[in-house]
Amino acid sequence: MTKPITEAAITAFFSTIAATIPASLTIADLGCSCGANSLFAVSEIISIMIDLCNAKKHELPEFQVFLNDLPGNDFNTLFSSFLPRFQEKLSEQMKSKYGASAALACFFNGVPGSFYGRLFAQESLHFIHSSYSLHWLSRVPRELEENKGNISMSRSSPPKLPGMVLTLHGRRSDDPSSEEYRGLWELLAIDLNEMVTEGLIEEEKLHSFNVPYYTPSPKEVRQEVEKQGSFSIDCLEMFEVNHDVIETDFDPNVVLEEAVDKIVGCLRAIAEPLLIHHFGEEIINEVFKRFRAKLGNRFSKEKIPLVSIIISLKKIT
């Protein structure tokens, strides 16, 4: 769904530099994480750039790739386990497309740090990409004393909560406490509240826990870009991905179970470090056991679409 927009943005970029393609092109992926899909976006971007160079009979530039995430990200595993396989696959693709003698100079760098601060030297990047990272805030918003019993935005939350190719979780509604926003986090909050009533979690611990997570509406995204003033918007679109889209010939009940497991795994990968830091490790298995049961019950009655926003920006010169 995002590839055509990414391709259009790169094609537009190449059209502005067609006569003088730099000897080295720099790409940054903000929020790369660590796993089998960490290099997927970079692979797509490089492949598009190679095909454009080939179509225009330009000599291939060198590629400088910056992989960014927070300092706690497992860059060691990313570079030792996933990068060698990626480079080998990229080399094979080059040879299959352009012959046995084809070679690609591609250099990778890890950039630990928050993208809410300064990460790169001035005018040092040509193309920036981020997938499902920007809905994480730089910190939990202030003035959340009245958000007791909730862990994210809800109907009872106080009203002062906040206000390249970038993909992020979003919402269609202008109401920040709408159902499409609350979804999974609200189920998790219910679990934590139940565990408070059973004496498994201290009430004060729950009241002081909030997730630094916010899904904006397209209107809010546009306003932020226009307020910042450095970029113009080429494309701003929304799309939905249903969590239960699994290609299988199995029984529908098996499909449901696999879909639920997939959602639980995704949320646990994100939320577990936050929960352990605040509540301790001993509650984790019980929290997600309860969460899975509630999610399975809800998922059997309705779909839970993932609403996403993709925006393509161009720097104003």
Side-chain angles (χ1 to χ4, degrees):
M1 293 180 177
T2 63
K3 184 177 179 180
I5 295 172
T6 302
E7 190 165 359
I10 296 173
T11 302
F13 164 69
F14 263 71
S15 69
T16 64
I17 61 167
T20 55
I21 292 179
S24 177
L25 285 174
T26 54
I27 303 163
D29 187 15
L30 307 181
C32 64
S33 189
C34 177
N37 65 345
S38 292
L39 296 163
F40 178 76
V42 169
S43 175
E44 291 287 309
I45 292 167
I46 292 175
S47 294
I48 293 169
M49 290 182 170
I50 289 172
D51 288 342
L52 286 170
C53 286
N54 187 52
K56 296 180 180 297
K57 303 272 192 281
H58 284 299
E59 184 177 343
L60 281 180
E62 295 181 339
F63 292 97
Q64 184 88 14
V65 179
F66 295 105
L67 301 173
N68 158 255
D69 213 305
L70 294 175
N73 189 53
D74 192 352
F75 285 99
N76 286 335
T77 298
L78 179 59
F79 279 86
S80 63
S81 298
F82 297 107
L83 184 58
R85 292 203 294 266
F86 168 78
Q87 290 174 314
E88 183 179 344
K89 183 179 177 181
L90 198 60
S91 177
E92 290 172 358
Q93 290 176 346
M94 281 290 295
K95 289 176 182 177
S96 67
K97 279 186 177 182
Y98 307 112
S101 62
L104 180 67
C106 195
F107 305 96
F108 287 82
N109 303 268
V111 184
S114 169
F115 52 60
Y116 289 108
R118 181 77 177 269
L119 289 172
F120 305 101
Q122 188 174 1
E123 305 289 339
S124 62
L125 301 175
H126 291 103
F127 193 81
I128 300 168
H129 180 271
S130 179
S131 181
Y132 293 122
S133 295
L134 287 176
H135 42 263
W136 288 101
L137 309 178
S138 60
R139 56 173 173 76
V140 172
R142 297 186 179 93
E143 301 179 358
L144 292 184
E145 292 81 5
E146 301 305 317
N147 204 36
K148 292 179 180 179
N150 303 307
I151 61 173
S152 63
M153 180 73 77
S154 74
R155 285 175 181 161
S156 60
S157 296
K160 286 189 177 180
L161 292 176
M164 334 184 187
V165 174
L166 311 173
T167 307
L168 63 154
H169 289 168
R171 66 176 194 277
R172 296 186 183 280
S173 171
D174 285 332
D175 178 7
S177 64
S178 63
E179 172 64 25
E180 62 184 344
Y181 173 87
R182 301 195 315 271
L184 304 181
W185 294 111
E186 192 165 62
L187 289 181
L188 192 61
I190 292 171
D191 290 334
L192 295 171
N193 276 280
E194 285 179 354
M195 294 174 73
V196 167
T197 62
E198 295 171 21
L200 300 175
I201 293 176
E202 295 177 21
E203 185 175 35
E204 187 52 43
K205 282 265 188 181
L206 176 58
H207 289 341
S208 61
F209 179 65
N210 287 284
V211 179
Y213 179 96
Y214 183 78
T215 55
S217 66
K219 179 180 177 181
E220 288 174 316
V221 173
R222 183 177 294 277
Q223 287 175 341
E224 288 301 312
V225 172
E226 291 174 350
K227 182 171 72 173
Q228 200 280 329
S230 297
F231 297 87
S232 61
I233 299 174
D234 274 354
C235 175
L236 176 59
E237 294 186 8
M238 294 198 71
F239 62 92
E240 287 187 5
V241 177
N242 289 321
H243 286 296
D244 60 342
V245 177
I246 299 177
E247 295 181 6
T248 178
D249 295 325
F250 292 135
D251 178 275
N253 291 328
V254 177
V255 174
L256 173 63
E257 291 296 308
E258 290 190 4
V260 171
D261 285 341
K262 182 172 67 171
I263 299 170
V264 173
C266 288
L267 186 68
R268 184 162 183 167
I270 295 167
E272 183 170 302
L274 298 172
L275 292 168
I276 289 176
H277 177 74
H278 194 81
F279 297 102
E281 193 166 359
E282 60 275 5
I283 70 159
I284 295 302
N285 289 335
E286 179 63 22
V287 168
F288 285 101
K289 177 183 175 183
R290 295 173 184 234
F291 175 76
R292 193 197 182 287
K294 288 184 177 62
L295 182 65
N297 181 56
R298 179 177 170 185
F299 211 61
S300 65
K301 301 173 183 175
E302 61 178 314
K303 291 184 177 180
I304 306 176
L306 175 69
V307 179
S308 299
I309 296 173
I310 181 167
I311 180 169
S312 175
L313 303 171
K314 184 167 61 178
K315 187 176 180 182
I316 297 173
T317 57

